[in-house]
Amino acid sequence: MYRMYGSALVAALAAVTLGIPHWASATPSDVAAPNGAADVAAPNGAADVAAPNGAADAAADRVLRVYNNNIENLVVNNSDGSCTRISGPDHLTSILVDDAGRTGTSGVVAPDILIVQQVRGTGQAEAYADQLSAKFGYPAGSYGAIVAWDDPEPWGSTHKCSSQSLGDLKKKQTNGIIWNKRTLNLASGDISKYWSAGWLKPGTAYANGAGCTLYKPPNSDPDSTDYYKWKRTSAIAARFTIKATGTSVFAATMHLPQENRQNACAGDGDRGIANSGIHLGADATTLLNASTIRVVGIDANRTGIAPGTLSGYGMTGYGSAATSGSSKIDYLFVRGSVQSSAVDHTVVGTKSNHKALYGFITY
C-alpha cells in the first residue's frame, strides 16, 4: 500500500492499485493554523516565501539535501502538560539549515527530501508540502508527498495534552516522504508497499526476541482505544531519480513502537538488524538494492543504535546528539558522500518534541 500525492503524477498512479483508496481531500483540521488562520500562509508575509538570494534548485550545486523529523502532527507537548500547535511554515523554518547548520539564514536552500513521522495523513502531508513550496517561492505542487496510510483511524485519548482538541490532532498518525519535484523524479512503480514494525505484546515474555510479533492486523493493544495504533508504525519507501544526473536515490521512513525501547522487535521472533528492532520490507529492499544513494530516517524509540547498524546496506548513521529530551531515539542512515556538520547533523531548535536530523549529500 502506498500514498502518493501531487497532480503531476495522478495519471501515472491511476494504474496502480494496492487495496486502499488512493486519494483523500484535506479536512479543515488538516490545513487550519492555530486560531483558525490559514495554515498554508507563511508567517510574516512575503519575507518568508522569497527564495534566499534567488537560490537555484539543489541539483545545480550537486548536493542532495535530506532531512528527517518526527513532526508530532505539528503539535508540541510541553513540560506542564499543555500542548502547542505549530504551523507548517514555522516548523519548516525551524528545521531547514544552511551548510553551517544554521536556521533562518540566506544560505538555506530548498530541500530535496523530507522524511517525516507522525503526520495525520494525506491532508496534512499535502498542506505541508505546499507550505514548503511557498516558502521558496515555488508554485503549489512543486513538492509531492507519499504516506503509508491515507487517513489512519484515530487511537488513544489525550496524547498527554491537557487540551482535548490538541490531543485529538495527534490521534491520527502515519509516516511519509516529501520530495522536491524540481530536482527529483518519482516513477509510479518505485514506491514500496507499506511494511509493519514488530512489537512485544503486553504480558508476553521477550525470551531473547522469541516473543516478538509483527505489529499489524489482527495484532493490537488489548485496550480497544489503541486498536489502530499499529498504523503509526507502518513504514514506506521510494526510489527517486535526480533529474540533473540520473542518479538513483532510495528513501525510507520508519516509526517503531514505544515497546522497542525495552525490547527490540522487528517481526515474528525477530529482534531486527543488529538487535535494533529495525527491518526493511521486501519491496523496499528491492528498491534499495537498485539505488546508488540510500537514506533511511527512523524514530526508533530506542537508544544506543550504533552508526554501523545498517552497514550491511552500505549506510552509516549520522548525528550522535540527543533528539528527544536527553535521549537519542531518532536516526538518519545514509549511503553517500555526506558533508561534515558543525552541529552534528542535529537541528537543535526544531519546533517538535524531536530534533531534526539532516544530511547534505554530494553526488
Side-chain angles (χ1 to χ4, degrees):
M1 299 181 181
Y2 63 80
R3 296 296 169 270
M4 180 174 185
Y5 309 98
S7 58
L9 297 176
V10 172
L13 288 174
V16 182
T17 56
L18 294 172
I20 304 177
H22 288 201
W23 303 96
S25 300
T27 63
S29 64
D30 285 324
V31 297
N35 304 319
D39 199 32
V40 296
N44 304 321
D48 198 47
V49 300
N53 300 326
D57 291 341
D61 56 7
R62 298 297 187 265
V63 176
L64 186 79
R65 291 171 169 82
V66 179
Y67 295 82
N68 176 70
N69 187 224
N70 181 334
I71 71 173
E72 291 274 356
N73 300 86
L74 296 179
V75 176
V76 173
N77 290 91
N78 303 313
S79 58
D80 62 359
S82 65
C83 288
T84 303
R85 191 172 184 189
I86 306 299
S87 75
D90 281 348
H91 177 264
L92 288 163
T93 298
S94 78
I95 71 170
L96 302 180
V97 298
D98 61 18
D99 287 350
R102 301 170 298 185
T103 61
T105 73
S106 61
V108 175
V109 176
D112 299 288
I113 297 175
L114 270 66
I115 298 168
V116 296
Q117 298 86 40
Q118 206 165 313
V119 61
R120 284 195 293 278
T122 303
Q124 189 175 47
E126 285 187 318
Y128 187 75
D130 282 344
Q131 290 153 10
L132 182 55
S133 296
K135 182 173 180 61
F136 291 94
Y138 299 158
S142 295
Y143 279 88
I146 59 173
V147 296
W149 289 96
D150 184 57
D151 186 25
E153 295 88 345
W155 66 274
S157 53
T158 66
H159 290 275
K160 300 180 181 179
C161 291
S162 56
S163 166
Q164 186 62 57
S165 63
L166 292 178
D168 287 346
L169 292 177
K170 301 187 77 170
K171 287 185 175 182
K172 293 187 174 187
Q173 299 180 20
T174 188
N175 306 299
I177 301 170
I178 314 293
W179 83 96
N180 190 339
K181 296 180 182 178
R182 298 164 70 95
T183 60
L184 298 170
N185 280 324
L186 178 59
S188 60
D190 282 346
I191 304 168
S192 76
K193 296 180 181 178
Y194 87 86
W195 70 97
S196 294
W199 72 312
L200 185 69
K201 187 175 181 178
T204 304
Y206 184 58
N208 203 29
C212 294
T213 58
L214 195 63
Y215 201 4
K216 68 174 185 179
N219 300 320
S220 67
D221 290 350
D223 183 351
S224 62
T225 61
D226 291 339
Y227 187 80
Y228 299 103
K229 184 177 175 181
W230 65 273
K231 286 191 174 179
R232 78 194 285 262
T233 65
S234 296
I236 194 168
R239 179 180 180 267
F240 304 91
T241 302
I242 299 175
K243 290 184 176 181
T245 62
T247 306
S248 54
V249 180
F250 171 86
T253 178
M254 302 184 205
H255 188 186
L256 306 186
Q258 293 99 319
E259 292 87 354
N260 198 56
R261 189 177 186 100
Q262 287 77 33
N263 301 292
C265 287
D268 294 336
D270 182 8
R271 293 181 294 174
I273 301 167
N275 302 329
S276 65
I278 300 169
H279 80 286
L280 291 167
D283 287 351
T285 300
T286 298
L287 295 176
L288 177 146
N289 288 335
S291 301
T292 301
I293 296 173
R294 303 169 183 178
V295 185
V296 175
I298 311 173
D299 173 0
N301 266 311
R302 184 176 182 84
T303 60
I305 296 179
T309 297
L310 299 185
S311 60
Y313 297 100
M315 288 183 279
T316 300
Y318 289 87
S320 60
T323 58
S324 178
S326 60
S327 299
K328 177 174 177 57
I329 63 172
D330 301 272
Y331 299 86
L332 182 66
F333 293 94
V334 181
R335 177 188 178 185
S337 179
V338 179
Q339 295 180 1
S340 61
S341 167
V343 296
D344 190 29
H345 303 278
T346 309
V347 186
V348 176
T350 306
K351 288 194 173 182
S352 168
N353 290 116
H354 297 252
K355 295 181 177 66
L357 297 165
Y358 73 94
F360 292 167
I361 306 162
T362 56
Y363 59 90

